[in-house]
Amino acid sequence: MSEPGMKCSRCTAPARFRFPAHNARFCDDCLEVFVLRQVERAIAKFKMLTPGQKVLVAVSGGKDSLACWQILKELGYQAEGLHVSLELGAGQFSDASLASCQEMAQRLEAPLHLLRMEDLTGHSVEDISRANQRNFCSVCGTLKRYYLNKLCLDLGFDTLATGHHLDDEAGRLLGNMIRRHQRHLDNQWPVLEGTPGGFAKKIKPMCRLAGREIKAYAKARDLPVAQGHCPRSKGATLPYYQEAVLLLEERMPGTTRDFYLGFLEDKVKPPVQPDVASSCSVCGAPTYAEACTTCRFLEKTARRKQERTGAAQAQS
Ligand code: AMP
Ligand code: ZN
């Protein structure tokens, strides 16, 4: 990231980080100014928050969401953390993630809301994925989205911030374009408005920052980032579309920003509020079907377990 003798573009002090996309080099202090400004600009442009607003930050223990929490606090928001512990694999990754979130909460002197996925659902993610014969990561993603939204509202917040950044959003955009997912393209926006009692407002304050910029910030601020990868990701750490975006960025610095921020600039208007056909007959969450995906997952898992218990009793 740095070269010997490199000077900061803002203050000419020795620089530690180089960002070709901005044709800039930064020392630690100026990097922080740069990062805070990018987040401030995103919040203002997309009307994410009002000054000093209460906001819940979904923290995974990774650099993006911890940086998001730190920055929102620094910008004067009443930002509390929410971590859902997944307790995957042998547990080391989940333990490290939890410890990182706790250390961050201590540093920020901010409340951290902690919940275990298994307490929320009554089953392990593994059991839910197996009973429903669905891909583990997609089940985990559905459950996370559902409970992060639900907990946000239950805890009395109306806005949930996540650590999604520029590379995430550009990768998603490329995928939506290649597959011509028009509805997803129409709805891709760094803010999704909430609906009373149904959806919390979702915001992505890091959407103007690249992963490597956040990594540099986390290093400069020495954030207690959890090391390692999810034991279930099986080495595929990035979606292919994001890898493609990063390759283009490496060859042509600035491409990712041009691509994603240009897309937002050209958009005629942001998406309207989610149109919700009805509410889940089990939990009341907005859904298009009779019961929402999560309730269907849980119902089927319980049914499979009962069938297995019944079969075991019949045998004995
Ligand atoms: P991911 O889909 O794992 O890249 O995560 C995207 C964002 O979701 C993160 O930046 C966090 O804001 C949030 N998130 C992911 N996992 C968790 C978790 N276990 N608990 C709370 N928030 C999470
Ligand atoms: Zn439901």
Side-chain angles (χ1 to χ4, degrees):
M1 243 182 212
S2 71
E3 292 152 16
M6 202 165 76
K7 285 201 171 35
C8 177
S9 317
R10 283 185 82 241
C11 75
T12 73
R16 197 149 63 121
F17 307 103
R18 192 170 72 87
F19 300 131
H22 299 271
N23 199 16
R25 292 158 293 279
F26 292 126
C27 66
D28 286 17
D29 288 348
C30 291
L31 168 72
E32 198 177 335
V33 173
F34 163 80
V35 163
L36 257 63
R37 275 213 57 208
Q38 295 297 326
V39 176
E40 261 181 324
R41 282 180 68 178
I43 292 173
K45 168 138 182 127
F46 301 109
K47 300 187 174 58
M48 293 183 179
L49 296 164
T50 53
Q53 196 193 313
K54 218 174 107 164
V55 54
L56 190 63
V57 188
V59 281
S60 63
K63 66 180 183 359
D64 309 319
S65 49
L66 291 190
C68 182
W69 195 5
Q70 167 91 39
I71 294 164
L72 291 181
K73 284 288 284 181
E74 253 159 63
L75 292 175
Y77 297 99
Q78 294 174 56
E80 300 186 8
L82 167 65
H83 178 68
V84 177
S85 187
L86 297 160
E87 292 163 330
L88 303 176
Q92 283 113 325
F93 173 73
S94 302
D95 291 350
S97 304
L98 170 64
S100 292
C101 295
Q102 285 173 317
E103 191 178 335
M104 196 70 206
Q106 266 187 350
R107 274 200 206 192
L108 294 174
E109 296 179 7
L112 171 67
H113 306 272
L114 279 176
L115 289 114
R116 295 173 63 239
M117 187 62 95
E118 200 162 340
D119 291 339
L120 294 167
T121 61
H123 312 281
S124 69
V125 184
E126 190 69 63
D127 282 352
I128 301 170
S129 135
R130 223 178 289 136
N132 289 274
Q133 293 168 299
R134 292 286 187 90
N135 170 279
F136 185 92
C137 296
S138 96
V139 169
C140 187
T142 299
L143 295 173
K144 268 201 273 187
R145 274 191 300 278
Y146 177 88
Y147 285 105
L148 290 177
N149 178 67
K150 181 176 186 315
L151 292 166
C152 177
L153 297 174
D154 289 353
L155 289 164
F157 290 79
D158 57 20
T159 307
L160 181 77
T162 54
H164 293 101
H165 54 56
L166 178 65
D167 308 339
D168 293 325
E169 294 306 294
R172 244 182 82 195
L173 176 58
L174 183 65
N176 286 338
M177 282 182 164
I178 289 177
R179 298 193 174 268
R180 286 184 284 165
H181 285 160
Q182 194 54 47
R183 207 168 62 85
H184 292 178
L185 286 169
D186 292 345
N187 287 330
Q188 191 167 353
W189 195 248
V191 173
L192 285 179
E193 293 300 336
T195 55
F199 288 120
K201 176 173 172 177
K202 313 281 170 22
I203 62 169
K204 299 175 180 171
M206 312 294 274
C207 68
R208 295 181 57 92
L209 286 164
R212 69 194 293 266
E213 292 158 5
I214 301 173
K215 194 170 172 184
Y217 173 82
K219 194 167 162 189
R221 298 300 311 258
D222 196 24
L223 300 186
V225 175
Q227 300 305 318
H229 294 293
C230 171
R232 296 302 307 247
S233 68
K234 298 204 179 89
T237 51
L238 280 182
Y240 292 141
Y241 292 121
Q242 199 172 313
E243 260 184 45
V245 165
L246 289 176
L247 176 73
L248 293 173
E249 178 67 29
E250 200 183 297
R251 305 280 156 89
M252 296 177 288
T255 303
T256 319
R257 294 174 62 80
D258 287 350
F259 178 50
Y260 177 63
L261 299 181
F263 163 78
L264 295 181
E265 211 55 60
D266 288 348
K267 244 174 128 98
V268 187
K269 59 176 169 45
V272 290
Q273 299 222 340
D275 58 333
V276 182
S278 62
S279 45
C280 171
S281 58
V282 184
C283 73
T287 178
Y288 294 99
E290 219 273 298
C292 74
T293 313
T294 297
C295 287
R296 279 184 283 141
F297 279 169
L298 300 186
E299 193 273 327
K300 191 157 180 183
T301 311
R303 195 150 31 95
R304 287 277 176 276
K305 280 189 177 172
Q306 251 175 9
E307 285 165 6
R308 250 182 287 136
T309 320
Q313 278 170 349
Q315 269 186 358
S316 60

